[in-house]
Amino acid sequence: MGFMTNVCILWNTVYTARALEEMRAEGKKISAADIARLSPLGFEHLNMLGRYSFSLPDLVRDGQLRPLRTPPPAE
């Protein structure tokens, strides 16, 4: 299980960094305190006891990152 945990942590860390870069590029200010509270393990899609499928989209297989998801606007 250690290897899978490390893979998930790396994947989430890469995408978290990308999301922060995109937010900064949009001119949003992100406090160091907020970044300090981020965790690559705090996502419900991690299932440490389940099975994982590693069929990758062509985009990712070619070494690119998949697009970030944009949350719906706050109501």
Side-chain angles (χ1 to χ4, degrees), residues 1-71:
M1 180 162 64
F3 176 73
M4 279 307 305
T5 301
N6 290 339
V7 169
C8 292
I9 289 170
L10 175 61
W11 184 261
N12 286 342
T13 300
V14 167
Y15 275 95
T16 299
R18 182 168 176 222
L20 290 169
E21 289 169 9
E22 188 170 306
M23 291 170 69
R24 286 184 181 118
E26 293 172 354
K28 296 177 182 168
K29 300 219 186 287
I30 305 164
S31 74
D34 288 338
I35 292 172
R37 286 191 289 271
L38 293 175
S39 169
L41 287 175
F43 298 95
E44 62 186 50
H45 67 275
L46 293 180
N47 178 0
M48 298 300 178
L49 303 175
R51 294 179 183 219
Y52 288 87
S53 169
F54 290 99
S55 57
L56 298 175
D58 291 338
L59 183 77
V60 175
R61 198 173 307 120
D62 291 339
Q64 300 176 41
L65 296 176
R66 63 178 169 77
L68 295 172
R69 287 182 227 137
T70 303

